[in-house]
Amino acid sequence: MSAGGLKKMLASAVVVGVTEARARIFGQILNPTGQRSPHKILRKKLIGDKVAEWYPYDIKNDDPHVMAREEEERLSKLESLKRRGKGPPKKGQGRRAAKRN
């Protein structure tokens, strides 16, 4: 009876040894308890640079003249809207404030 038990114990030790060696060789992480681990997510390659390559470089963000012209256009449009009475309301005079009164 003890010979069978010894055989099983030896076989399980060999399996554990082979598993550990395989993990060391292939750079895997051993998880004999089966607990959740973030290793699978952390092992993935980062994709931020790849996503950034999809979008072309926007040169207008670097040019202060272009940004100033856009800001000037925005302010002139806002001024014309205010003259027609279509601009944004003053602080505290919006729809939600009108509902309370």
Side-chain angles (χ1 to χ4, degrees):
M1 203 63 180
S2 67
L6 182 63
K7 200 174 196 180
K8 286 182 183 178
M9 191 168 58
L10 186 62
S12 66
V14 167
V15 168
V16 168
V18 168
T19 307
E20 288 175 358
R22 184 178 63 212
R24 234 180 295 119
I25 290 169
F26 294 111
Q28 298 170 341
I29 300 294
L30 272 184
N31 190 5
T33 58
Q35 290 181 327
R36 290 182 63 160
S37 169
H39 181 72
K40 182 177 177 180
I41 296 165
L42 295 174
R43 194 177 58 209
K44 290 182 180 178
K45 285 196 291 188
L46 299 175
I47 62 167
D49 295 333
K50 195 77 169 171
V51 171
E53 288 175 6
W54 293 342
Y55 299 98
Y57 178 71
D58 195 6
I59 198 165
K60 76 177 185 182
N61 292 338
D62 291 345
D63 192 3
H65 298 294
V66 173
M67 295 300 286
R69 190 179 73 229
E70 285 182 353
E71 181 67 14
E72 188 178 318
E73 288 172 3
R74 184 185 73 83
L75 292 175
S76 67
K77 181 180 178 185
L78 186 62
E79 183 185 343
S80 68
L81 285 173
K82 280 183 183 178
R83 275 187 272 135
R84 292 189 313 180
K86 305 273 186 185
K90 291 182 183 174
K91 190 172 181 179
Q93 302 295 319
R95 258 189 13 208
R96 291 182 71 179
K99 283 182 182 179
R100 284 190 223 142
N101 295 336

